[in-house]
mmCIF file of all heavy atoms in Angstrom:
data_model
loop_
_atom_site.group_PDB
_atom_site.id
_atom_site.type_symbol
_atom_site.label_atom_id
_atom_site.label_comp_id
_atom_site.label_asym_id
_atom_site.label_seq_id
_atom_site.Cartn_x
_atom_site.Cartn_y
_atom_site.Cartn_z
ATOM 1 N N PRO A 150 -147.398 -177.070 -168.878
ATOM 2 C CA PRO A 150 -148.171 -175.842 -168.644
ATOM 3 C C PRO A 150 -147.935 -175.259 -167.260
ATOM 4 O O PRO A 150 -147.497 -175.944 -166.342
ATOM 5 C CB PRO A 150 -149.626 -176.321 -168.792
ATOM 6 C CG PRO A 150 -149.572 -177.764 -168.374
ATOM 7 C CD PRO A 150 -148.256 -178.274 -168.863
ATOM 8 N N ASP A 151 -148.243 -173.984 -167.115
ATOM 9 C CA ASP A 151 -148.223 -173.290 -165.812
ATOM 10 C C ASP A 151 -146.883 -173.406 -165.102
ATOM 11 O O ASP A 151 -146.819 -173.577 -163.881
ATOM 12 C CB ASP A 151 -149.335 -173.847 -164.899
ATOM 13 C CG ASP A 151 -150.718 -173.701 -165.512
ATOM 14 O OD1 ASP A 151 -151.000 -172.634 -166.079
ATOM 15 O OD2 ASP A 151 -151.507 -174.662 -165.416
ATOM 16 N N ALA A 152 -145.800 -173.289 -165.873
ATOM 17 C CA ALA A 152 -144.467 -173.476 -165.280
ATOM 18 C C ALA A 152 -144.196 -172.461 -164.175
ATOM 19 O O ALA A 152 -143.653 -172.809 -163.119
ATOM 20 C CB ALA A 152 -143.399 -173.383 -166.369
ATOM 21 N N GLU A 153 -144.568 -171.199 -164.388
ATOM 22 C CA GLU A 153 -144.308 -170.181 -163.372
ATOM 23 C C GLU A 153 -145.123 -170.455 -162.116
ATOM 24 O O GLU A 153 -144.613 -170.340 -160.991
ATOM 25 C CB GLU A 153 -144.642 -168.794 -163.914
ATOM 26 C CG GLU A 153 -144.319 -167.669 -162.930
ATOM 27 C CD GLU A 153 -144.586 -166.291 -163.510
ATOM 28 O OE1 GLU A 153 -144.793 -166.188 -164.738
ATOM 29 O OE2 GLU A 153 -144.583 -165.318 -162.734
ATOM 30 N N LEU A 154 -146.386 -170.821 -162.298
ATOM 31 C CA LEU A 154 -147.235 -171.132 -161.144
ATOM 32 C C LEU A 154 -146.680 -172.319 -160.371
ATOM 33 O O LEU A 154 -146.616 -172.300 -159.130
ATOM 34 C CB LEU A 154 -148.658 -171.440 -161.616
ATOM 35 C CG LEU A 154 -149.648 -171.910 -160.545
ATOM 36 C CD1 LEU A 154 -149.822 -170.841 -159.475
ATOM 37 C CD2 LEU A 154 -150.994 -172.255 -161.184
ATOM 38 N N ARG A 155 -146.257 -173.372 -161.072
ATOM 39 C CA ARG A 155 -145.724 -174.558 -160.394
ATOM 40 C C ARG A 155 -144.430 -174.230 -159.657
ATOM 41 O O ARG A 155 -144.194 -174.717 -158.541
ATOM 42 C CB ARG A 155 -145.509 -175.680 -161.401
ATOM 43 C CG ARG A 155 -146.817 -176.339 -161.847
ATOM 44 C CD ARG A 155 -146.703 -177.039 -163.199
ATOM 45 N NE ARG A 155 -145.461 -177.776 -163.328
ATOM 46 C CZ ARG A 155 -144.779 -177.875 -164.483
ATOM 47 N NH1 ARG A 155 -145.219 -177.282 -165.573
ATOM 48 N NH2 ARG A 155 -143.681 -178.580 -164.527
ATOM 49 N N ALA A 156 -143.593 -173.394 -160.271
ATOM 50 C CA ALA A 156 -142.334 -173.022 -159.610
ATOM 51 C C ALA A 156 -142.612 -172.234 -158.336
ATOM 52 O O ALA A 156 -141.961 -172.442 -157.301
ATOM 53 C CB ALA A 156 -141.472 -172.198 -160.571
ATOM 54 N N GLU A 157 -143.586 -171.314 -158.380
ATOM 55 C CA GLU A 157 -143.911 -170.530 -157.189
ATOM 56 C C GLU A 157 -144.602 -171.382 -156.127
ATOM 57 O O GLU A 157 -144.367 -171.193 -154.928
ATOM 58 C CB GLU A 157 -144.784 -169.345 -157.584
ATOM 59 C CG GLU A 157 -144.036 -168.301 -158.394
ATOM 60 C CD GLU A 157 -144.910 -167.139 -158.814
ATOM 61 O OE1 GLU A 157 -146.123 -167.140 -158.485
ATOM 62 O OE2 GLU A 157 -144.386 -166.213 -159.469
ATOM 63 N N LEU A 158 -145.443 -172.325 -156.553
ATOM 64 C CA LEU A 158 -146.056 -173.248 -155.592
ATOM 65 C C LEU A 158 -144.995 -174.104 -154.914
ATOM 66 O O LEU A 158 -145.084 -174.386 -153.711
ATOM 67 C CB LEU A 158 -147.075 -174.145 -156.294
ATOM 68 C CG LEU A 158 -148.461 -173.553 -156.552
ATOM 69 C CD1 LEU A 158 -149.275 -174.486 -157.446
ATOM 70 C CD2 LEU A 158 -149.196 -173.312 -155.233
ATOM 71 N N LEU A 159 -143.993 -174.515 -155.676
ATOM 72 C CA LEU A 159 -142.905 -175.304 -155.094
ATOM 73 C C LEU A 159 -142.185 -174.498 -154.025
ATOM 74 O O LEU A 159 -141.896 -175.007 -152.934
ATOM 75 C CB LEU A 159 -141.930 -175.731 -156.194
ATOM 76 C CG LEU A 159 -140.759 -176.608 -155.749
ATOM 77 C CD1 LEU A 159 -141.251 -177.954 -155.231
ATOM 78 C CD2 LEU A 159 -139.775 -176.812 -156.895
ATOM 79 N N ALA A 160 -141.902 -173.221 -154.306
ATOM 80 C CA ALA A 160 -141.240 -172.360 -153.324
ATOM 81 C C ALA A 160 -142.108 -172.173 -152.090
ATOM 82 O O ALA A 160 -141.624 -172.263 -150.953
ATOM 83 C CB ALA A 160 -140.912 -171.012 -153.962
ATOM 84 N N ALA A 161 -143.415 -171.923 -152.310
ATOM 85 C CA ALA A 161 -144.327 -171.704 -151.183
ATOM 86 C C ALA A 161 -144.451 -172.959 -150.330
ATOM 87 O O ALA A 161 -144.419 -172.901 -149.093
ATOM 88 C CB ALA A 161 -145.709 -171.288 -151.700
ATOM 89 N N TRP A 162 -144.590 -174.093 -150.978
ATOM 90 C CA TRP A 162 -144.720 -175.362 -150.254
ATOM 91 C C TRP A 162 -143.446 -175.680 -149.487
ATOM 92 O O TRP A 162 -143.497 -176.103 -148.325
ATOM 93 C CB TRP A 162 -145.048 -176.474 -151.248
ATOM 94 C CG TRP A 162 -144.981 -177.844 -150.668
ATOM 95 C CD1 TRP A 162 -145.951 -178.490 -149.958
ATOM 96 C CD2 TRP A 162 -143.871 -178.744 -150.738
ATOM 97 N NE1 TRP A 162 -145.508 -179.734 -149.585
ATOM 98 C CE2 TRP A 162 -144.239 -179.914 -150.045
ATOM 99 C CE3 TRP A 162 -142.609 -178.690 -151.323
ATOM 100 C CZ2 TRP A 162 -143.390 -181.009 -149.930
ATOM 101 C CZ3 TRP A 162 -141.756 -179.771 -151.199
ATOM 102 C CH2 TRP A 162 -142.157 -180.906 -150.508
ATOM 103 N N MET A 163 -142.296 -175.442 -150.113
ATOM 104 C CA MET A 163 -141.025 -175.734 -149.470
ATOM 105 C C MET A 163 -140.833 -174.852 -148.229
ATOM 106 O O MET A 163 -140.436 -175.336 -147.166
ATOM 107 C CB MET A 163 -139.890 -175.502 -150.459
ATOM 108 C CG MET A 163 -138.508 -175.721 -149.889
ATOM 109 S SD MET A 163 -137.260 -175.017 -150.963
ATOM 110 C CE MET A 163 -137.683 -173.290 -150.867
ATOM 111 N N LEU A 164 -141.140 -173.554 -148.362
ATOM 112 C CA LEU A 164 -140.981 -172.654 -147.215
ATOM 113 C C LEU A 164 -141.949 -173.012 -146.097
ATOM 114 O O LEU A 164 -141.587 -173.037 -144.921
ATOM 115 C CB LEU A 164 -141.209 -171.214 -147.652
ATOM 116 C CG LEU A 164 -140.019 -170.507 -148.284
ATOM 117 C CD1 LEU A 164 -140.406 -169.103 -148.700
ATOM 118 C CD2 LEU A 164 -138.844 -170.466 -147.318
ATOM 119 N N GLY A 165 -143.204 -173.286 -146.467
ATOM 120 C CA GLY A 165 -144.187 -173.656 -145.455
ATOM 121 C C GLY A 165 -143.803 -174.937 -144.739
ATOM 122 O O GLY A 165 -143.889 -175.029 -143.502
ATOM 123 N N THR A 166 -143.347 -175.911 -145.489
ATOM 124 C CA THR A 166 -142.948 -177.185 -144.894
ATOM 125 C C THR A 166 -141.771 -176.995 -143.947
ATOM 126 O O THR A 166 -141.750 -177.536 -142.830
ATOM 127 C CB THR A 166 -142.584 -178.188 -145.997
ATOM 128 O OG1 THR A 166 -143.729 -178.418 -146.829
ATOM 129 C CG2 THR A 166 -142.134 -179.521 -145.405
ATOM 130 N N SER A 167 -140.779 -176.220 -144.374
ATOM 131 C CA SER A 167 -139.600 -176.034 -143.521
ATOM 132 C C SER A 167 -139.955 -175.261 -142.252
ATOM 133 O O SER A 167 -139.434 -175.551 -141.172
ATOM 134 C CB SER A 167 -138.483 -175.325 -144.295
ATOM 135 O OG SER A 167 -138.878 -174.016 -144.677
#
Side-chain angles (χ1 to χ4, degrees):
D151 302 317
E153 183 177 347
L154 175 61
R155 285 157 42 216
E157 291 179 359
L158 279 171
L159 182 65
W162 170 83
M163 178 195 64
L164 277 178
T166 299
S167 64

